[in-house]
Amino acid sequence: MSKYLGLLLLIASGCGAQQTADSNNNPSPLAAKNEQEKPRIALIMKSLANEFFSTMAKGAEAHQSEHPSDYDLVVNGIKDERDLSRQVAIVDEMVVGGVQAIVIAPADSKALVPALRRAIQAGVVVINIDNRLDVDVMKQEGVSIPFVGPDNRSGAKAVGSVIAAKLSKGDQVAILEGLRTSDNGTQRRLGFEEAMSDAGIQIVDSQSAEWEMAKANTLAASILSEHPEIKALLAANDSMALGALAAVKSTGRTDILIAGFDHISAVQKAIADGSILVTADQHADQLAVFGIEAALAQLKSPSNAPSDIQTVVDIIRAETP
């Protein structure tokens, strides 16, 4: 965040002018104008039932409370990460509601682009976080939307490498993928595959559990039954890792290694007790903040072309302090 601190201070100095009042204690026209100019930023996320996104929302709300003169925040989320139509509707509602910027973690890398194009045409600044929008679809729609977020492929490869280091060449593993229409799901799968290929480890199954714990539990149980020689399950998010863990426990096996991605609290505990080996922390509490800061920068200097910003991913395992 330090790289944006100077910019935020500059924005604060421009937006935080004191109110003045007339003799009847009514705000002056200048004060009303300043109040109107304070931007409203909409944070639109995926399912708030997922701890990753509820943590993201709390981080954004904390940031706004620390910078109340810089912007107002509207937080939105969908009930189900697959509810694309509702997320599209929220984008449209925010535009009609007059927000100046949208910071969005899209549920789908392609389906949200037309709605975001409409937002941009209405004069709204749009920043993409967490799940990268599809470059080809953006090109078709004639828009360029900056991405603020992690390199999911390299993060997943690093997670997979921790698993690979515990296995032997020729061992069997399986992957629990996220939504196949989401870029971050695809990139994490590719990262896992690259780590296994480098180590000579065989991927015997790879299926989408659509980010969901219950579906991951069902798929993992089926995979373990079909491939009893399997040594590890690599899940593209922590909810699916927890579903895989429940499936492993139900078999009574203790030799299955499990990887996740997100560092939610339940997985932090599972890593501490050794039931999950590794996850990735992409700092959910700060990810939306980075996007908000990018939106503020774009609002401050609309003539400057927005650019992508890569954020940090840390690998978390039991040995990590």
Side-chain angles (χ1 to χ4, degrees):
M1 287 177 59
S2 59
K3 67 185 288 186
Y4 303 107
L5 183 57
L7 175 61
L8 286 174
L9 291 174
L10 179 61
I11 294 169
S13 66
C15 298
Q18 287 187 332
Q19 274 198 349
T20 57
D22 60 22
S23 58
N24 294 318
N25 289 322
N26 295 316
S28 71
L30 176 61
K33 184 174 184 293
N34 285 339
E35 189 66 25
Q36 290 171 359
E37 288 179 348
K38 184 170 68 168
R40 292 174 67 229
I41 297 178
L43 173 61
I44 303 176
M45 296 168 294
K46 293 187 271 184
S47 173
L48 291 177
N50 184 327
E51 183 185 325
F52 179 82
F53 293 105
S54 62
T55 300
M56 181 184 289
K58 290 175 184 176
E61 290 165 347
H63 182 269
Q64 193 281 329
S65 69
E66 293 166 2
H67 303 86
S69 63
D70 293 346
Y71 69 101
D72 289 325
L73 180 67
V74 182
V75 176
N76 299 275
I78 52 180
K79 292 182 178 180
D80 186 313
E81 293 196 29
R82 297 162 294 184
D83 192 355
L84 305 181
S85 61
R86 179 56 191 149
Q87 199 175 45
V88 168
I90 291 172
V91 171
D92 292 338
E93 289 166 9
M94 292 300 100
V95 174
V96 171
V99 300
Q100 283 69 50
I102 289 173
V103 177
I104 185 166
D108 185 285
S109 293
K110 297 180 179 181
L112 270 294
V113 177
L116 297 173
R117 185 253 305 153
R118 294 193 296 271
I120 292 169
Q121 290 176 337
V124 177
V125 167
V126 177
I127 304 294
N128 170 206
I129 61 171
D130 178 56
N131 177 34
R132 188 185 292 270
L133 293 164
D134 187 273
V135 174
D136 291 335
V137 176
M138 284 195 288
K139 186 176 180 180
Q140 292 169 12
E141 293 289 334
V143 295
S144 178
I145 300 173
F147 176 69
V148 178
D151 184 332
N152 281 281
R153 183 168 180 167
S154 66
K157 182 179 179 181
V159 168
S161 295
V162 173
I163 291 285
K166 297 285 188 179
L167 301 177
S168 300
K169 187 174 181 179
D171 281 346
Q172 298 181 358
V173 302
I175 297 173
L176 296 171
E177 306 172 34
L179 279 170
R180 289 177 173 169
T181 55
S182 294
D183 181 78
N184 58 350
T186 299
Q187 296 304 314
R188 291 175 195 177
R189 174 182 57 78
L190 291 172
F192 288 152
E193 289 175 350
E194 190 173 350
M196 297 304 105
S197 177
D198 288 350
I201 292 167
Q202 182 183 6
I203 299 171
V204 295
D205 206 344
S206 185
Q207 298 186 54
S208 172
E210 300 181 332
W211 306 123
E212 298 293 334
M213 185 186 303
K215 188 164 185 178
N217 177 260
T218 301
L219 283 177
S222 175
I223 289 168
L224 291 169
S225 175
E226 186 175 350
H227 303 282
E229 299 301 315
I230 209 166
K231 296 292 181 66
L233 294 166
L234 297 96
N237 79 348
D238 279 351
S239 293
M240 294 188 296
L242 292 170
L245 176 60
V248 169
K249 286 183 174 179
S250 70
T251 68
R253 292 182 62 177
T254 59
D255 61 327
I256 305 293
L257 302 178
I258 299 173
F261 203 108
D262 281 344
H263 199 220
I264 65 174
S265 58
V267 168
Q268 293 172 32
K269 295 174 183 176
I271 288 176
D273 68 25
S275 53
I276 290 179
L277 179 62
V278 59
T279 190
D281 186 0
Q282 52 179 325
H283 304 281
D285 61 331
Q286 294 302 308
L287 191 51
V289 171
F290 294 139
I292 289 167
E293 290 174 345
L296 289 170
Q298 187 64 23
L299 289 167
K300 185 71 175 178
S301 302
S303 61
N304 291 340
S307 58
D308 291 354
I309 299 171
Q310 185 172 311
T311 59
V312 174
V313 177
D314 291 319
I315 305 307
I316 308 297
R317 53 188 296 176
E319 295 86 348
T320 303

